[in-house]
Amino acid sequence: MQSLRFKALEGLAGVDSTLTEHNGKITEVFGSNVFTGKVVREYLSDEAYKSLMNSVKNGTKLERKMSEQIASGMKAWAMKKGVTHYTHWFQPLTGTTAEKHDSFFTLKGDGTALETFDGDALVQQEPDASSFPNGGLRATFEARGYTAWDPSSPAFILEQAYGKTLCIPTIFVSYTGESLDYKAPLLKALAAMDKAAVDVCNYFDKNVTKVTGTLGWEQEYFLVDEGMANARPDLIMTGRTVVGHAPSKGQQLEDHYFGAIPERAYAYMRDFEVEAYKLGIPLRTRHNEVAPSQFECAPIFEEINIAVDHNSLLMDVMNKVAKRHKLKVLLHEKPFAGINGSGKHNNWSMSTDTGVNLLAPGKTPKTNLMFLTFFVNTIKAVHDYADLMRAAIASPSNDFRLGANEAPPAIISVFTGKYLFDVLQEVKNRVNNKFDEQDEAILKMDLHRHIPELMLDNTDRNRTSPFAFTGNKFEFRAVGSSANCASAMTVLNTIMAKTLVDFKAEVDGLIEKGEKKEIAIMQTLRKYIVDSEKILFEGDGYSEEWEKEAEKRGLANVKTTPKALDAMVTPKATQLYTETGVYNEKELHARHEILLEDYVKKVQIEARVIGDLATNTILPSAISYLNELVANINGLKAIGLGDDSVKAQKQIAAKIAEHINVISENVQAMIEARKVANKLTDSRQKAIDYCEKIKPYFDVIRYHSDKLEFLVDDKKWALPKYRELLFLR
Ligand SMILES: NC(=O)CC[C@H](N)C(=O)O
């Protein structure tokens, strides 16, 4: 029987990349499936509209009467668009989105069939949630979980080939109120940051009443022909290739980055973009990324909560649309060894309701000082809680990516660019005890005039930095491509909230002692710069010198997830999260537990896939070729040829036999190691065991398998090769 690999290779030629989707203006479709803007006005009474807007802006609870009206408006809108079902749409800790559809259809007591959707159904639902990760928060016998409407993220309609569903973004909490999803803590972190930042803004501008966190993510991904992906059980089961000999040509010619987009990928992009536009996801850019078959898309930045929802939604849409194009989209951080992995760089900033981006250098001395305040506080926050930033991006898949191929290392540092680095030094050197308001120069530092220099730093930005300032925002580059941005954003906004609260307390303290406000701010900023400057790093994050230097500076370099997660449950983290109200202690421990379990399960699945592939795919190919060689060697000898004539074949046969042995032994040893690890009851210890005792087998098995791939007759190799996966489309 022909192997799937060769069927897939044959099938490739028949792929049609014609573009059939919407080709008109984006504005014609943008937001057409979202209950927002004009349609909300159209379908709601003035009263309901006002109370909804108020709830969106200030997080106030909606009166029951209002939610009835809103539900009825939403239903009318959705039904006009052909929707039959609705669902609460949420983001449990599985890493994917969740939906459970209910129809509008109902039967009344007298048998009348009606379509209904009331306020209760809008506001709260009780999905049977026993099977979501909960880290011990709920026993299965009391597994009730609630989804509750988040009015700040608009409802939308998901279109599938056979129907349309009204989706209501919700948070997901346990019966006892603990959060079980990504969104609930994120909303709390954003509220904490808002309050703390407004208080600090008011030093400079009394009119500021709200500060919103903003996020612009960049989604990197790979595209592989579906037929070929189907012939790689590792890609299907784990999202990455666990074996694969390096292709002769990889990314060394640097010819893919920003190159002409291949027709098939382009058709796919256009198609998912249109779907995204309908959902109000403001995609703006698309391009080829560095690795062959790697691409990126990015939207215009949005309010964090919405941006997070949009990214989760887009990942779903990308998966679905890929099917139509007979493609498989890989969102894994490192689908292919040896070439670039995929990140989801999170561009983060904060902006005021007076229209000021707090991380953009201002035009006047006053706004400059405000910029400097938020800039330095961010650096201080990252310095003080670098371990939590590391934990926020920890996942088994991101572990493969960090530290190579333009992905930052595990050491958390901040890149400011030379100009601002010098400004910080200047503040440090000039703001001393004698510093007073006479020192005009420093208070009136004209950062705005230096924007060209800032921009230069920005374009020259450091690709090895996990957290880089890029002119008017920070780019958290360490976030992985498959991650839910909420993890990174919850941490960042929480640590920002806490740092700003402490900052304000210090400044107020100085003011109470009679210090002038600007001087008090400057002095506190100087202190913060001194306290946190060891986190600043402008050089090559991959270099050995940096590893050594970072160690000298006392910066952590935690390379693996199980240990990186320790940071979540330290007394310092507990204090941070309880003080800011983002997690209570129970929730924190549950989350830690969930992430450890997730680690174990994912590494366990990989180990199984590697064992399976080695045993029933790789070794049989090698043995079959070995049989041919042996037959040939015997045949040559039988016709009277001497040892010399079979020399090369004997060498090849010996090598193949050796690789077969090593693989087989290691698969066996890995299974034994798993049995030991599986008996451990402590999740942390189990995760560490999986990381340190089981994962090392992956590399050994892979090494020998890749050698076999090189030696064995190409026709006998069942798994599509890197050169095919990466270059044929
Ligand atoms: N050019 C780039 O920004 C590459 C980034 C890289 N793919 C990463 O893993 O983050």
Side-chain angles (χ1 to χ4, degrees):
M1 196 188 77
Q2 197 190 16
S3 76
L4 271 180
R5 173 180 166 216
F6 290 98
K7 274 198 197 137
L9 286 171
E10 265 171 29
L12 261 179
V15 170
D16 177 13
S17 331
T18 28
L19 187 62
T20 49
E21 279 301 317
H22 177 91
N23 241 337
K25 277 199 222 146
I26 292 167
T27 45
E28 279 167 16
V29 286
F30 188 73
S32 56
N33 278 345
V34 190
F35 193 62
T36 184
K38 206 166 146 246
V39 283
V40 182
R41 282 242 76 144
E42 210 176 296
Y43 282 88
L44 296 189
S45 67
D46 278 353
E47 195 190 11
Y49 177 77
K50 270 194 206 126
S51 70
L52 177 61
M53 290 305 125
N54 190 29
S55 162
V56 170
K57 183 159 185 267
N58 305 316
T60 45
K61 216 169 167 280
L62 276 161
E63 277 170 54
R64 197 188 164 97
K65 196 175 99 201
M66 288 304 130
S67 42
E68 284 301 339
Q69 284 194 26
I70 295 166
S72 139
M74 260 186 205
K75 189 191 80 176
W77 168 72
M79 286 191 55
K80 199 164 166 216
K81 288 181 136 316
V83 169
T84 53
H85 287 64
Y86 68 92
T87 178
H88 277 194
W89 180 85
F90 56 106
Q91 299 168 62
L93 296 168
T94 50
T96 52
T97 58
E99 26 184 286
K100 176 185 165 251
H101 299 193
D102 281 297
S103 65
F104 290 141
F105 164 79
T106 189
L107 279 180
K108 289 287 171 197
D110 62 357
T112 326
L114 277 182
E115 306 329 308
T116 64
F117 180 56
D118 59 20
D120 286 347
L122 167 67
V123 172
Q124 192 172 324
Q125 266 192 359
E126 192 192 322
D128 176 12
S130 49
S131 303
F132 289 111
N134 65 75
L137 279 179
R138 293 167 306 134
T140 348
F141 62 89
E142 46 176 18
R144 269 187 294 170
Y146 287 106
T147 49
W149 181 33
D150 164 24
S152 61
S153 184
F156 56 90
I157 295 170
L158 265 189
E159 285 181 16
Q160 283 177 281
Y162 296 103
K164 296 182 180 180
T165 312
L166 171 67
C167 298
I168 295 139
T170 54
I171 58 165
F172 179 44
V173 293
S174 75
Y175 178 57
T176 42
E178 279 98 12
S179 57
L180 293 170
D181 69 345
Y182 285 104
K183 195 193 258 281
L186 175 69
L187 292 176
K188 291 177 189 164
L190 291 172
M193 188 280 285
D194 173 14
K195 176 156 190 333
V198 166
D199 286 348
V200 171
C201 280
N202 288 345
Y203 281 140
F204 309 97
D205 182 354
K206 288 274 179 243
N207 295 321
V208 173
T209 62
K210 188 166 175 64
V211 171
T212 313
T214 58
L215 167 64
W217 40 261
E218 301 166 23
Q219 180 70 56
E220 294 184 325
Y221 60 96
F222 280 83
L223 286 178
V224 171
D225 175 76
E226 191 183 41
M228 232 135 33
N230 286 342
R232 293 279 320 210
D234 49 354
L235 272 187
I236 300 298
M237 311 294 276
T238 72
R240 75 176 185 109
T241 54
V242 297
V243 292
H245 191 279
S248 316
K249 175 182 186 273
Q251 63 188 40
Q252 61 271 56
L253 296 182
E254 293 167 334
D255 52 354
H256 189 65
Y257 192 52
F258 285 6
I261 300 174
E263 200 66 35
R264 193 172 173 196
Y266 182 73
Y268 165 66
M269 290 174 181
R270 285 296 310 233
D271 205 354
F272 83 66
E273 283 166 2
V274 173
E275 293 299 328
Y277 292 140
K278 289 192 215 159
L279 292 163
I281 305 171
L283 288 179
R284 186 78 188 274
T285 60
R286 59 165 107 97
H287 61 83
N288 287 4
E289 249 306 327
V290 175
S293 274
Q294 191 189 25
F295 306 91
E296 176 179 311
C297 65
I300 298 167
F301 71 89
E302 297 176 280
E303 203 183 297
I304 292 176
N305 180 32
I306 311 272
V308 167
D309 283 1
H310 279 168
N311 181 253
S312 296
L313 195 50
L314 184 76
M315 290 197 284
D316 285 349
V317 168
M318 286 172 82
N319 276 322
K320 280 181 193 153
V321 175
K323 272 244 156 261
R324 286 188 216 155
H325 293 256
K326 303 217 175 327
L327 287 167
K328 173 114 185 113
V329 59
L330 307 178
L331 296 169
H332 191 287
E333 282 77 0
K334 196 78 175 179
F336 302 98
I339 56 171
N340 272 26
S342 297
K344 176 147 51 203
H345 306 170
N346 276 207
N347 293 285
W348 169 84
S349 190
M350 295 155 288
S351 66
T352 67
D353 53 352
T354 53
V356 177
N357 172 0
L358 293 170
L359 289 176
K363 287 190 184 160
T364 62
K366 203 157 105 186
T367 48
N368 259 328
L369 189 54
M370 180 150 93
F371 159 72
L372 208 57
T373 298
F374 282 90
F375 183 67
V376 171
N377 270 280
T378 308
I379 295 171
K380 175 84 158 61
V382 175
H383 168 271
D384 290 358
Y385 296 99
D387 59 343
L388 284 178
M389 293 280 281
R390 172 67 186 92
I393 51 120
S395 72
S397 44
N398 212 15
D399 280 359
F400 290 110
R401 164 180 170 253
L402 297 180
N405 302 102
E406 298 188 319
I411 309 165
I412 297 292
S413 64
V414 179
F415 173 86
T416 59
K418 178 151 181 356
Y419 180 71
L420 283 168
F421 188 84
D422 292 345
V423 168
L424 297 180
Q425 295 311 308
E426 175 122 344
V427 174
K428 187 177 127 185
N429 297 333
R430 302 253 313 257
V431 182
N432 48 33
N433 289 339
K434 291 200 296 286
F435 174 76
D436 61 29
E437 68 249 58
Q438 307 309 321
D439 199 336
E440 297 272 299
I442 191 105
L443 279 175
K444 293 201 171 157
M445 230 171 349
D446 190 358
L447 294 179
H448 188 71
R449 215 159 37 85
H450 295 280
I451 293 239
E453 286 152 70
L454 283 169
M455 289 327 245
L456 195 72
D457 279 345
N458 164 21
T459 42
D460 192 27
R461 72 166 177 265
N462 192 322
R463 291 193 189 278
T464 65
S465 176
F467 197 71
F469 186 70
T470 57
N472 54 10
K473 58 188 163 28
F474 277 98
E475 181 180 8
F476 195 1
R477 293 179 61 86
V479 183
S481 50
S482 69
N484 186 315
C485 308
S487 297
M489 288 298 108
T490 301
V491 168
L492 195 48
N493 289 286
T494 307
I495 63 179
M496 204 56 202
K498 164 87 174 125
T499 307
L500 289 170
V501 167
D502 292 349
F503 174 79
K504 180 154 190 324
E506 288 202 44
V507 173
D508 285 350
L510 291 175
I511 296 174
E512 267 163 38
K513 279 193 205 142
E515 202 59 273
K516 195 170 171 276
K517 184 175 75 186
E518 279 79 9
I519 307 290
I521 291 174
M522 270 314 218
Q523 267 162 1
T524 312
L525 289 181
R526 179 188 188 273
K527 180 166 171 260
Y528 277 23
I529 293 169
V530 174
D531 286 352
S532 51
E533 65 185 347
K534 73 168 191 289
I535 198 100
L536 300 179
F537 179 62
E538 306 285 298
D540 175 4
Y542 295 163
S543 64
E544 248 179 67
E545 296 90 79
W546 173 230
E547 270 206 37
K548 286 192 198 128
E549 165 73 15
E551 199 184 333
K552 249 198 260 155
R553 293 191 193 180
L555 300 179
N557 184 6
V558 189
K559 292 197 170 140
T560 58
T561 291
K563 289 191 177 158
L565 296 176
D566 285 347
M568 294 175 71
V569 286
T570 60
K572 191 174 164 194
T574 312
Q575 195 192 345
L576 165 81
Y577 284 121
T578 47
E579 227 175 273
T580 46
V582 174
Y583 297 113
N584 64 31
E585 216 175 328
K586 223 165 129 193
E587 288 171 320
L588 210 49
H589 283 273
R591 221 152 264 252
H592 181 229
E593 184 74 17
I594 290 168
L595 290 171
L596 288 170
E597 279 171 12
D598 176 74
Y599 183 87
V600 168
K601 286 177 194 160
K602 291 201 171 130
V603 179
Q604 190 176 59
I605 291 170
E606 291 209 349
R608 286 185 178 152
V609 168
I610 293 171
D612 283 3
L613 268 186
T615 313
N616 52 42
T617 306
I618 295 162
L619 293 189
S621 299
I623 292 168
S624 158
Y625 181 52
L626 190 58
N627 283 341
E628 266 181 27
L629 280 175
V630 171
N632 202 36
I633 293 167
N634 287 338
L636 289 174
K637 281 190 176 163
I639 60 167
L641 292 178
D643 267 358
D644 258 9
S645 68
V646 293
K647 205 170 105 200
Q649 295 190 62
K650 269 172 84 176
Q651 272 170 6
I652 298 173
K655 279 190 201 162
I656 293 180
E658 172 66 11
H659 294 308
I660 291 175
N661 282 333
V662 182
I663 290 177
S664 181
E665 280 160 20
N666 278 280
V667 167
Q668 212 39 54
M670 178 169 74
I671 293 173
E672 294 309 317
R674 246 165 41 216
K675 285 185 191 158
V676 176
N678 289 345
K679 291 212 178 81
L680 297 170
T681 46
D682 178 67
S683 306
R684 179 176 180 273
Q685 196 47 54
K686 194 168 177 177
I688 291 177
D689 246 46
Y690 262 91
C691 178
E692 292 174 0
K693 303 216 171 116
I694 289 151
K695 248 182 92 184
Y697 286 108
F698 296 6
D699 293 337
V700 184
I701 297 169
R702 176 179 192 133
Y703 175 83
H704 291 276
S705 165
D706 292 356
K707 291 281 177 204
L708 283 178
E709 181 182 328
F710 183 70
L711 290 168
V712 167
D713 179 3
D714 184 56
K715 290 194 296 299
K716 289 192 183 297
W717 200 256
L719 300 171
K721 299 190 168 181
Y722 268 32
R723 61 167 189 253
E724 295 155 354
L725 292 165
L726 289 168
F727 289 97
L728 300 184
R729 47 181 101 85

